[in-house]
Amino acid sequence: MDFFNYDSDEEGDQDGKMSEGSTSEEGESALEATDNEEEKERPDSSDTDLEIEGAERSFTPIKGAELYREACKLVGVIPVSYFIRNMEEPIMNLNHHGLGPKGTKAIAIALVSNTTITHLELEDNWILGEGATYLVQMLRENCYIQELNISNNHLDTEGAEAICRMFNDNISNIRAIQLAGNNFREEAAPYFSESLMGNYRVIELDLSHNEFAEKGGELLGQLLANNESLEVLKLSWNHLRMKGAVALSAGLRTNGTLKVLDVSWNGFGNEGAFALGEALKVNNVLAELDISNNHINNEGTIKLSKGLEVNGTLRILKMSHNPMTVEGAIALITSIRRNSKSRIEEINISNVLVNEGFVRLVDVVCEARPELDVIYGGVGGHITKKQELRADPMKAVQNYLDKNKLRLWDFFKKMDKEGNMKIAVSEFRKAMMQQTKIPLDRIQVGELIRKLDSSKTGLVDYSKFKVETPEQKEEEEENKEEEP
């Protein structure tokens, strides 16, 4: 069934006429395309015509803040001062402002001609499906907004339909869109599946915290098999369960673009883990997989490990809060050890209590793969044992620098291959594990990384450690003076 092949005309007023004094009624129906054709020409009609295709003509003399204020008067809402103050900034954050559909309409009118905002945040504003329609019509004309967050806005199926029309027509420049928590159920899944199969613009899509269920998961699996642009897909908390897991895994087998997949909290079970393991055997693109909290026990973990034994692209695997034990954890690490082409950098099984044998196995594997980080819950038996005291790794680094009369910035610069004052965590971990001048073990290196990358960006940014000499400052000042 073609979910986008139907008459979109909507009924206008019963008699096709409106009184000149009914400004508010005109504002509510101004974004209806057919109303523009049916209404008679009147002096005030251009002021209330908010159809995006005619918005430029409707408010030709005014733009920016003045245009927004006029739009607010038109729809009967109070202007948001933050929006007015920041209209010339690239990022507009209007989360939790209680805009509602009318406030969203005023924002949409003002953004038609805006050329500076590239990232728009509208989370938690109760914009409903009506507000989503206004945004979509605005995005037909605005080619500057590339990132949009309209999560938690009660869009329901009506909003899904409006947004998917935009996807289906490839009419906007949106590259990343967040649609989490919008009450999308399995009825909305066909719209996303069909519209995104041929979409080539959207790269990042967040549909987490909805209720697509197993039937919706099957349709999203078809999307994954046919889409050729998505690189990031988040589907956590959607009750996809086993059938959804199998369908998504089947799509993953043939997908050639997806790099990040989050399907945590979906109840995949061991059958889903087996399907994912089979997909990992043939997929050569996926770099990050999150299957946390999916009722996967040791049996499912061992099945998944079969895929890890041959996969050569996956870098991050998150499996925390699954009912596995140290047996499943050993199966994971062993699969990495057997795979000479594995690129795994992080395995997160943070709730699993392991034993000394597991720790020794990780130490052996990390000797051959110094970039690997295994996050586990703890070591059994250590409650009664006296914990081994380790030196503060940052102090150890500083002591080495002081002894050799080096600066911290110089220490990091030697590891920076790109020269941009940022080092990938995996590269930094590898370099620290391979160096022999500072006595640090795997645990200390991990602690050092947590301090240097406390925000978990995946990068060690050492630009804050740079200390300029007087000569460098003078040179920079001279360069500024030479600039026109």
Side-chain angles (χ1 to χ4, degrees):
M1 176 180 179
D2 187 349
F3 283 81
F4 298 95
N5 185 20
Y6 60 91
D7 187 3
S8 61
D9 292 344
E10 300 182 14
E11 295 181 0
D13 294 283
Q14 292 180 356
D15 58 357
K17 298 181 181 179
M18 297 177 66
S19 65
E20 293 188 14
S22 58
T23 305
S24 62
E25 292 181 13
E26 291 174 12
E28 288 301 313
S29 61
L31 285 172
E32 308 294 343
T34 54
D35 286 352
N36 294 329
E37 297 175 358
E38 295 175 359
E39 285 185 357
K40 293 182 179 181
E41 291 293 325
R42 302 184 306 277
D44 63 334
S45 65
S46 63
D47 292 335
T48 57
D49 178 13
L50 306 188
E51 172 64 21
I52 295 301
E53 295 176 357
E56 293 274 4
R57 297 191 299 272
S58 303
F59 299 99
T60 300
I62 57 176
K63 289 183 181 296
E66 186 180 356
L67 171 60
Y68 175 58
R69 291 190 181 94
E70 289 299 319
C72 289
K73 289 180 183 177
L74 179 66
V75 299
V77 296
I78 299 174
V80 178
S81 59
Y82 178 87
F83 181 70
I84 295 174
R85 293 195 308 269
N86 294 275
M87 291 184 74
E88 300 304 317
E89 299 295 328
I91 299 177
M92 175 61 69
N93 189 337
L94 292 173
N95 295 340
H96 321 297
H97 272 71
L99 296 175
K102 291 185 177 181
T104 304
K105 179 188 260 186
I107 295 289
I109 296 170
L111 289 179
V112 170
S113 57
N114 184 281
T115 60
T116 57
I117 296 173
T118 59
H119 183 161
L120 179 60
E121 292 275 341
L122 291 172
E123 183 175 349
D124 183 30
N125 274 290
W126 281 83
I127 72 174
L128 308 179
E130 180 185 350
T133 302
Y134 300 144
L135 291 175
V136 167
Q137 292 190 3
M138 175 270 293
L139 291 169
R140 288 177 179 271
E141 299 298 314
N142 184 304
C143 60
Y144 296 92
I145 297 177
Q146 298 181 21
E147 298 179 57
L148 176 64
N149 179 9
I150 47 176
S151 298
N152 300 306
N153 272 297
H154 304 271
L155 302 187
D156 300 310
T157 303
E158 179 188 354
E161 180 185 351
I163 292 164
C164 289
R165 280 179 175 277
M166 176 179 70
F167 292 157
N168 190 66
D169 297 336
N170 282 296
I171 56 173
S172 80
N173 278 342
I174 292 292
R175 312 297 283 173
I177 183 167
Q178 298 178 50
L179 296 165
N182 274 304
N183 301 325
F184 297 147
R185 304 178 186 275
E186 63 179 57
E187 296 83 7
Y191 294 111
F192 286 102
S193 178
E194 183 176 327
S195 64
L196 287 166
M197 281 186 187
N199 183 279
Y200 56 82
R201 294 182 181 274
V202 179
I203 295 176
E204 298 182 19
L205 175 63
D206 184 356
L207 288 170
S208 56
H209 289 266
N210 286 294
E211 299 179 35
F212 287 115
E214 288 186 286
K215 182 61 178 177
E218 292 175 352
L219 292 170
L220 293 174
Q222 297 175 20
L223 151 67
L224 204 54
N226 291 277
N227 181 274
E228 297 180 353
S229 66
L230 277 176
E231 295 182 6
V232 178
L233 179 60
K234 298 181 180 181
L235 292 170
S236 63
W237 293 85
N238 266 293
H239 311 290
L240 302 179
R241 306 194 185 281
M242 188 266 288
K243 290 183 179 179
V246 172
L248 285 171
S249 300
L252 194 61
R253 291 173 66 93
T254 58
N255 183 279
T257 58
L258 196 69
K259 296 177 181 178
V260 178
L261 177 62
D262 181 357
V263 286
S264 58
W265 298 83
N266 271 299
F268 277 14
N270 294 336
E271 294 83 358
F274 172 74
L276 283 171
E278 293 298 302
L280 290 176
K281 289 180 180 179
V282 295
N283 183 282
N284 59 359
V285 179
L286 192 68
E288 180 176 336
L289 176 63
D290 190 346
I291 50 175
S292 304
N293 208 312
N294 266 296
H295 305 302
I296 301 172
N297 59 24
N298 290 339
E299 179 187 351
T301 304
I302 292 171
K303 291 177 179 179
L304 179 72
S305 298
K306 299 298 181 183
L308 296 176
E309 288 183 4
V310 296
N311 183 276
T313 58
L314 195 68
R315 294 187 301 103
I316 298 174
L317 175 63
K318 299 179 180 180
M319 286 192 68
S320 64
H321 299 93
N322 280 295
M324 75 171 78
T325 65
V326 66
E327 179 185 350
I330 289 175
L332 287 174
I333 302 302
T334 303
S335 67
I336 304 304
R337 186 181 186 184
R338 291 173 178 172
N339 185 357
S340 60
K341 63 178 183 180
S342 174
R343 296 184 61 189
I344 285 285
E345 298 172 0
E346 178 185 323
I347 296 179
N348 189 328
I349 47 174
S350 57
N351 66 301
V352 179
L353 188 66
V354 300
N355 55 29
E356 293 286 357
F358 175 84
V359 175
R360 288 194 293 269
L361 176 61
V362 171
D363 288 336
V364 171
V365 174
C366 286
E367 286 182 10
R369 304 175 187 276
E371 71 279 4
L372 178 62
D373 182 25
V374 182
I375 305 168
Y376 47 85
V379 181
H382 272 209
I383 296 176
T384 57
K385 292 181 181 180
K386 185 178 180 180
Q387 294 284 347
E388 180 183 352
L389 295 177
R390 291 183 170 87
D392 185 330
M394 202 67 189
K395 288 184 178 179
V397 171
Q398 191 62 55
N399 290 338
Y400 167 78
L401 297 176
D402 293 342
K403 183 178 179 180
N404 292 274
K405 298 181 179 179
L406 297 173
R407 295 177 301 177
L408 191 57
W409 185 78
D410 295 323
F411 174 74
F412 286 114
K413 190 176 180 181
K414 292 179 180 179
M415 304 180 196
D416 187 3
K417 297 178 180 179
E418 302 295 330
N420 59 2
M421 299 188 189
K422 294 179 181 179
I423 310 169
V425 163
S426 59
E427 291 295 326
F428 182 79
R429 186 187 305 278
K430 183 177 181 179
M432 292 304 297
M433 290 295 291
Q434 289 180 333
Q435 61 85 30
T436 58
K437 296 180 180 180
I438 307 174
L440 296 176
D441 60 18
R442 178 173 58 84
I443 305 299
Q444 289 173 304
V445 171
E447 184 181 344
L448 180 62
I449 289 173
R450 282 191 289 275
K451 290 182 177 180
L452 295 173
D453 183 28
S454 57
S455 300
K456 296 183 179 180
T457 61
L459 294 170
V460 174
D461 185 349
Y462 66 93
S463 59
K464 57 187 176 183
F465 298 120
K466 183 177 180 180
V467 179
E468 294 183 346
T469 62
E471 293 79 7
Q472 289 176 320
K473 290 182 179 180
E474 289 178 6
E475 184 178 349
E476 287 185 2
E477 290 176 359
E478 290 176 0
N479 291 335
K480 289 181 180 180
E481 291 176 356
E482 292 176 359
E483 291 179 2

